């Protein structure tokens, strides 16, 4: 069973329908019957779909990482792939936030809107998140503690909390252990391969029978609750984020696919569309990971040993879309506060956000937690995050699609580099056709 073009079309239709219906209902949001439909129809459809996907995320990540490590076969090669992956992720994140700062400085989304700092949303965010909430607890975690927390002291707690960094760390250890005793562990490896087949069948069954309904519900409830009214109030901020996301998506990823991965970016987007449509509806890189893996391997032709390692790691630490939001939001809030950021402060934003993309992985509301860290680092009030909460859910849809595109792009580039290294792609003698290597 594979994610087909028809399913992608159905999901796209569902997304459009959800936006249209949600926007109409938003104009009547105070009506009791609209609230009932939003809560008991849209929300129920969306949350059931999310729960179904989240139900299999941990098994997918754990099994995929183990099999990916075993497939690589050589711990030294695995280490080199891991280093390349992290370097690529850090570079693209730094580019993303630098680009976002540049766009915001040019378009000035916060000019003339200082009164937004005195709204009820700012006070509410301060009392709920910055005074004893998850954001404050995450901000108080030191860098050394973050490094220590990568290694789980209790695997079952890590699994229950869906702490992806800890799950990935343990899965790598299991994979390396299986390589070391491969002759004695054939049955265990076969068990993992069979479990992977079962889990992926469940994932694709969920997609086939419930994805369109779930996507409709998630998008409809998002637009019913936020709608275009929130966009109008923060219109220039909204435009800045979308513009920076598009530039990064088209230029940075497009160039990487074209020049480093030696593929057509149009071909890439066409084949990766099923994962993009699910990402837009779920707003979660982790939730879309099972579909992203299946699409990358079967549509883009990325080998499982690369895809199964690079993409789960990216879903945890690669947050280019989120970094773009942070860059625009930091400049936006600085302009609201009447503060001109210095070159040094902007450099600090880039460095802190890039490092935090790894350090805060697995924390609930990770994007806003990272933003709070960035704002604090440059002397801005993190309570101002409350201003953008109203439209953050809508922007989250788009930036999640950007995030998973980055994961697949890096997987594609590293896969191509491995093909060249192993002699499977020889310049001038071989070429790619629909993702396959063929002789000219």
């Amino acid at each position: 069973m594979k994610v087909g073009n028809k399913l992608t079309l159905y999901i796209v239709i569902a997304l459009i329908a959800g936006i249209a219906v949600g926007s109409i209902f938003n104009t009547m949001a105070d009506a009791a019957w609209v609230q009932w439909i939003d809560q008991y129809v849209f929300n129920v459809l969306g949350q059931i779909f999310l729960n179904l996907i989240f139900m299999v995320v941990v098994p997918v990540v754990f099994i995929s990482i183990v099999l990916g490590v075993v497939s690589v076969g050589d711990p030294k090669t695995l280490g080199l792939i891991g280093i390349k992956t992290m370097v690529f992720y850090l570079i693209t994140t730094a580019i993303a936030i630098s680009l976002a700062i540049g766009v915001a400085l040019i378009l000035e989304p916060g000019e003339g809107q200082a009164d937004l700092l005195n709204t009820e949303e700012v006070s509410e965010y301060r009392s709920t998140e910055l005074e004893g909430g998850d954001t404050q607890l995450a901000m108080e975690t030191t860098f050394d503690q973050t490094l220590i927390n990568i290694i789980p002291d209790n695997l079952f707690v890590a699994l229950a909390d869906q702490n992806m960094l800890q799950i990935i760390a343990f899965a790598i250890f299991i994979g390396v252990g299986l390589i070391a005793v491969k002759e004695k562990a054939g049955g265990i490896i076969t068990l993992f391969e069979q479990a992977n087949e079962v889990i992926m069948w469940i994932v694709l069954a969920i997609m086939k029978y419930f994805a369109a309904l779930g996507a409709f519900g998630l998008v409809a409830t998002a637009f019913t609750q936020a709608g275009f009214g929130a966009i109008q109030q923060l219109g220039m901020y909204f435009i800045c984020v979308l513009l920076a996301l598009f530039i990064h998506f088209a230029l940075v990823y497009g160039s990487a696919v074209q020049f480093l991965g030696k593929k057509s970016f149009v071909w890439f987007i066409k084949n990766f569309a099923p994962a993009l449509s699910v990402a837009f509806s779920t707003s979660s890189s982790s939730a879309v990971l099972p579909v992203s893996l299946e699409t990358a391997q079967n549509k883009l032709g990325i080998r499982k040993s690369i895809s199964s390692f690079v993409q789960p790691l990216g879903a945890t630490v690669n947050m280019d879309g989120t970094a773009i939001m942070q860059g625009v939001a930091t400049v936006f809030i600085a302009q609201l506060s009447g503060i001109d950021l210095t070159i040094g402060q902007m450099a600090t934003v880039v460095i802190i956000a890039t490092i935090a993309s790894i350090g805060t992985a697995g924390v609930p509301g990770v994007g806003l937690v990272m933003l709070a860290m960035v704002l604090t680092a440059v002397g801005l009030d993190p309570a101002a995050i409350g201003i953008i909460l109203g439209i953050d859910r809508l922007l989250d849809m788009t930036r999640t699609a950007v995030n998973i595109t980055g994961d697949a792009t890096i997987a594609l580039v590293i896969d191509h580099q491995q093909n060249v290294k192993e002699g499977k792609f020889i310049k001038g003698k071989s070429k790619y056709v629909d993702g396959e290597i063929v002789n000219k």
Side-chain angles (χ1 to χ4, degrees):
M1 185 186 300
K2 296 181 180 180
V3 178
N5 293 330
K6 284 187 177 180
L7 178 57
T8 305
L9 177 62
Y10 295 153
I11 295 175
V12 170
I13 292 172
L15 293 176
I16 295 172
I19 292 172
V21 172
S23 299
I24 293 171
F25 275 34
N26 177 257
T27 62
M28 304 174 284
D30 293 333
W33 65 274
V34 169
Q35 295 175 7
W36 188 94
I37 291 176
D38 179 44
Q39 181 176 352
Y40 294 106
V41 179
F42 299 160
N43 184 61
V44 168
L45 286 174
Q47 291 305 312
I48 288 176
F49 175 55
L50 276 183
N51 285 354
L52 286 169
I53 293 292
F54 277 121
M55 176 181 69
V56 294
V57 165
V58 169
V60 165
V61 171
F62 184 74
I63 294 171
S64 294
I65 290 288
V66 170
L67 290 178
V69 172
V70 172
S71 297
V72 172
D74 179 12
K76 182 179 178 180
T77 301
L78 177 68
L80 291 174
I81 291 174
I83 292 171
K84 283 183 181 179
T85 301
M86 290 305 301
V87 169
F88 274 125
Y89 283 155
L90 291 174
I91 289 174
T92 57
T93 300
I95 292 173
I97 195 165
S98 301
L99 175 64
I101 290 174
V103 170
L105 287 174
I106 293 171
L107 297 184
E108 299 183 335
E111 289 298 320
Q113 300 191 70
D115 55 318
L116 290 175
L117 291 172
N118 301 318
T119 58
E120 182 180 342
E121 288 80 7
V122 174
S123 300
E124 185 177 348
Y125 191 82
R126 188 189 307 279
S127 61
T128 58
E129 292 295 328
L130 298 180
E131 297 176 1
D134 290 335
T135 301
Q136 183 194 32
L137 294 175
M139 289 173 63
E140 291 176 351
T141 302
T142 59
F143 182 72
D144 61 322
Q145 191 61 48
T146 298
L147 293 178
I148 294 171
N149 288 342
I150 292 176
I151 308 301
D153 58 0
N154 187 319
L155 174 63
F156 298 102
V157 172
L159 293 171
D161 292 343
Q162 294 193 358
N163 189 317
M164 291 303 173
L165 267 185
Q166 294 187 350
I167 292 170
I168 289 172
F170 185 76
I172 291 173
F173 281 117
I174 293 293
V176 172
L178 288 174
I179 292 173
V181 296
K182 199 166 187 178
E183 295 179 359
K184 300 178 181 179
I188 297 178
I189 294 173
T190 300
L191 179 62
F192 270 101
E193 290 172 344
Q194 292 170 340
N196 185 61
E197 292 293 325
V198 172
I199 290 295
M200 291 311 295
W201 185 92
I202 293 173
V203 169
L204 296 174
I206 293 170
M207 293 300 301
K208 181 177 180 180
Y209 298 111
F210 209 79
L213 283 174
F216 171 79
L218 288 168
V219 175
T221 192
F223 275 82
T224 297
Q225 294 175 12
F228 289 101
I231 296 176
Q232 291 173 359
Q233 184 180 13
L234 298 173
M236 189 53 70
Y237 167 78
F238 193 85
I239 291 171
C240 281
V241 175
L242 288 183
L243 179 59
L245 286 170
F246 177 77
I247 295 173
H248 190 73
F249 181 87
L251 293 186
V252 178
Y253 295 154
S255 298
V257 170
Q258 193 77 43
F259 300 111
L260 299 180
K262 304 300 180 182
K263 305 279 184 66
S264 163
F265 192 53
V266 174
W267 167 86
F268 177 92
I269 296 301
K270 178 182 176 182
N271 286 279
F272 199 58
L276 291 174
S277 60
V278 176
F280 186 83
S281 61
T282 61
S283 301
S284 170
S285 296
S286 295
V288 75
L289 181 58
V291 181
S292 184
L293 284 169
E294 194 275 344
T295 306
Q297 292 165 13
N298 293 317
K299 295 280 190 177
L300 300 179
I302 301 172
R303 70 178 86 179
K304 288 186 178 181
S305 60
I306 300 294
S307 171
S308 297
F309 179 78
V310 174
Q311 288 179 271
L313 184 62
T316 308
V317 303
N318 183 42
M319 302 179 184
D320 289 3
T322 304
I324 284 172
M325 177 274 289
Q326 293 162 10
V328 174
T330 300
V331 176
F332 173 65
I333 291 170
Q335 290 171 350
L336 292 179
S337 307
I339 297 173
D340 292 326
L341 295 175
T342 65
I343 298 296
Q345 286 176 314
M346 286 187 278
T348 299
V349 171
V350 174
I351 294 170
I352 295 296
T354 302
I355 296 175
S357 67
I358 299 173
T360 57
V363 178
V366 62
L368 297 178
V369 171
M370 290 165 61
L371 177 56
M373 292 178 176
V374 170
L375 293 176
T376 302
V378 293
L380 297 174
D381 185 2
I385 292 173
I387 299 169
I388 63 175
L389 284 180
I391 61 172
D392 190 66
R393 176 67 174 83
L394 303 181
L395 288 172
D396 201 8
M397 297 174 176
T398 310
R399 66 176 185 253
T400 300
V402 171
N403 285 342
I404 69 160
T405 302
D407 301 340
T409 296
I410 301 306
L412 182 76
V413 169
I414 291 177
D415 184 58
H416 171 74
Q417 292 178 344
Q418 287 301 114
N419 285 331
V420 173
K421 184 177 180 180
E422 296 170 10
K424 294 180 179 180
F425 181 88
I426 304 173
K427 187 175 181 181
K429 296 184 179 180
S430 304
K431 66 177 181 178
Y432 286 110
V433 177
D434 292 335
E436 298 296 328
I437 301 170
V438 298
N439 291 325
K440 284 188 178 180

